[in-house]
Amino acid sequence: MTLDPEELAVTADTTDLSSWLDAVTIDPAVGELRPDYRALVVVAEGLHPGPSDATSEKLLAAAEETARARLAGGAPEDHPHLAAWREAFRAFGAKPQRTRPSAEALLRRAGSGLPRVDRLTDLYNAVSVAHVVPVGGEDLDHYRGPARLVRATGEEPFETTAGGEAVVEHCPPGEVVWRDDAGVTCRRWNWRQCTRTRLTTATTRAFFVLDALGPMDDDALAAAGDALTAALTDSSPGATVISRLVRGA
């Protein structure tokens, strides 16, 4: 028997990777906004977290070199995939000059050096830059129920920090956000993650999402997913990693 999304939302939890992965959904309102949108969702457990190290440094350095060669002095926003993401941001009212798609923000830093955050974040940032695709990561043990990509109602809480203090914001209605049962986990599609579910040096179970629009075809998206899977399994021997392609329309 096939469960509909509402039934999945009730039954899904984070204890079983496969069932949780099957419950990830994209709201039709998002698909209407960008029918070409696809999310490659990757979940993993048995990860080896920690601070940045030689493994993550090697991947970041290689990604920096790839980015410099690809851009050859050009502007990141001129890349077809990033140009499409700018259009997507404008479509729900965001200003990409002020709140940039995550892959563009990283590529802008590649010339002077990407940030070194922690082992797991460094791995997915390297994949994002090398493949020119927005990638996000969340701690699955802090997720509540299934992940859903929706257009905000304006009532969902978003936990973040301002001036070093914890604050709760509310997204404007219509903003595209990832959320769980407790609130928004990532604002503006792939712009900023909440503090509650962010990866840390203690994360051993994680959820990653790779965001693709039309200029990035399914083969290129799969290649980026394979690169992330390889980075996770190589750096965390014995880890379990599974993935699913979720379409917006």
Side-chain angles (χ1 to χ4, degrees):
M1 180 179 68
T2 301
L3 297 179
D4 65 30
E6 290 186 359
E7 290 173 311
L8 285 169
V10 172
T11 60
D13 59 42
T14 64
T15 58
D16 178 76
L17 293 187
S18 294
S19 65
W20 189 87
L21 185 61
D22 287 342
V24 176
T25 58
I26 297 171
D27 190 272
V30 177
E32 291 172 4
L33 186 70
R34 289 297 304 214
D36 57 340
Y37 175 70
R38 289 140 293 137
L40 182 60
V41 183
V42 179
V43 290
E45 62 184 0
L47 297 172
H48 301 178
S52 302
D53 62 6
T55 298
S56 60
E57 175 62 33
K58 182 179 179 179
L59 286 172
L60 284 172
E64 289 166 349
E65 289 301 316
T66 297
R68 293 182 189 115
R70 176 181 286 114
L71 294 176
E77 62 267 26
D78 291 337
H79 187 282
H81 198 211
L82 298 182
W85 272 109
R86 282 189 159 220
E87 292 173 1
F89 272 40
R90 292 189 186 98
F92 64 83
K95 297 179 179 180
Q97 294 88 345
R98 296 179 57 188
T99 56
R100 303 184 192 280
S102 64
E104 180 185 333
L106 283 172
L107 277 163
R108 285 178 171 273
R109 301 183 65 174
S112 57
L114 293 167
R116 273 58 176 170
V117 182
D118 59 65
R119 202 166 190 259
L120 298 178
T121 303
D122 292 352
L123 296 182
Y124 81 70
N125 279 347
V127 171
S128 176
V129 168
H131 292 263
V132 195
V133 58
V135 184
E138 312 280 356
D139 190 316
L140 197 55
D141 285 330
H142 292 280
Y143 234 78
R144 299 293 176 263
R148 291 96 79 187
L149 186 67
V150 303
R151 301 197 69 176
T153 66
E155 299 178 356
E156 306 91 339
F158 176 75
E159 299 175 36
T160 186
T161 58
E165 300 293 328
V167 297
V168 175
E169 299 176 349
H170 290 83
C171 310
E175 182 175 307
V176 178
V177 298
W178 282 100
R179 65 158 301 164
D180 64 1
D181 291 345
V184 172
T185 58
C186 187
R187 286 195 61 185
R188 296 178 188 168
W189 224 316
N190 50 53
W191 171 60
R192 178 176 293 170
Q193 294 161 290
C194 77
T195 53
R196 173 173 55 88
T197 61
R198 66 186 175 189
L199 300 182
T200 71
T201 55
T203 299
T204 60
R205 303 173 74 246
F207 151 52
F208 303 91
V209 58
L210 293 78
D211 293 316
L213 294 174
M216 180 176 225
D217 62 27
D218 285 353
D219 288 342
L221 179 58
D226 289 345
L228 178 60
T229 296
L232 294 172
T233 54
D234 290 349
S235 64
S236 299
T240 297
V241 183
I242 58 176
S243 62
R244 173 186 167 222
L245 181 63
V246 187
R247 296 189 180 276

